[in-house]
Amino acid sequence: MKPVSANSRILLSCTVAAVLAACSSAPRDEKSTLTRPDSDRIAAVQAIRAANAGENSALQVNPLRDPAVEGFVAQAAHAEKLGQFDDAFVAMSKARKLAPEAPDLLQSEAEIEFLRGNTEQAEKLAYESFKKGPQVGTLCVQNWQTIVEARKIFNDPDYRAVAEGKREQCKVKRPVRL
């Protein structure tokens, strides 16, 4: 058997390293595929809130609330305006502790989570809000628009179409009065 030269060993080592490098793949950053840049997330939340603009639904739900809850909601809105989404989340969490079953607070928290880049959690909260809410009217429209925006990020056109259909079912028109 012939001895292997030093140059041959180096060449063999480089070849093996190149083959192994080609076979391996970089770890996929799943979170990066499920988030948008801040400007896109803000635009998505604006679309969520505008989804019911001009909606003349037959059903509007306006809960009577503890003033402390309203104070935390106002703090959350103020922090959001300043772009302090984590502070908005903290304030909304305090409001939700006082009124954990309130569907409108669930939806507000979903929107804040969306702004924070937590798209999966935003979608879950929006659906929970839908289940606890009136399932028709403006809140329902916002719930399903949140899911539509999430499905855009998840690149899921099939369920996005389902969510768009559900959003339209939320729109209950007032009866015509003569």
Side-chain angles (χ1 to χ4, degrees), residues 28-38 40-41 44 113-124 146 149-156:
R28 193 174 137 196
D29 183 7
E30 291 228 2
K31 188 160 180 92
S32 67
T33 63
L34 301 179
T35 60
R36 290 178 168 175
D38 288 349
D40 287 352
R41 291 195 311 256
E113 286 287 42
F114 211 111
L115 290 168
R116 294 175 72 210
N118 300 328
T119 310
E120 289 181 52
Q121 183 63 17
E123 184 181 46
K124 288 176 187 173
T146 303
E149 295 298 328
R151 290 294 139 180
K152 287 179 185 177
I153 290 173
F154 300 151
N155 196 23
D156 183 355

Side-chain angles (χ1 to χ4, degrees), residues 63-173:
L64 294 175
R65 259 201 252 284
D66 179 338
V69 171
E70 293 303 322
F72 289 128
V73 169
Q75 284 178 6
H78 180 71
E80 183 185 323
K81 280 183 184 175
L82 297 175
Q84 299 168 345
F85 304 133
D86 290 337
D87 292 344
F89 175 77
V90 169
M92 188 55 65
S93 294
K94 289 177 182 178
R96 286 232 316 115
K97 283 181 185 172
L98 295 173
E101 300 298 312
D104 59 324
L105 296 182
L106 282 164
Q107 177 59 33
S108 294
E109 187 173 343
E111 293 166 13
I112 291 169
E113 286 287 42
F114 211 111
L115 290 168
R116 294 175 72 210
N118 300 328
T119 310
E120 289 181 52
Q121 183 63 17
E123 184 181 46
K124 288 176 187 173
L125 287 165
Y127 189 72
E128 187 179 343
S129 173
F130 169 74
K131 291 306 252 181
K132 291 181 179 183
Q135 299 185 3
V136 292
T138 57
L139 181 60
C140 178
V141 170
Q142 285 182 275
N143 298 150
W144 285 104
Q145 186 63 36
T146 303
I147 295 168
V148 166
E149 295 298 328
R151 290 294 139 180
K152 287 179 185 177
I153 290 173
F154 300 151
N155 196 23
D156 183 355
D158 294 336
Y159 195 72
R160 177 181 168 188
V162 169
E164 288 170 342
K166 296 280 190 181
R167 180 192 61 208
E168 294 308 308
Q169 290 174 4
C170 294
K171 299 177 181 179
V172 178
K173 301 294 180 197

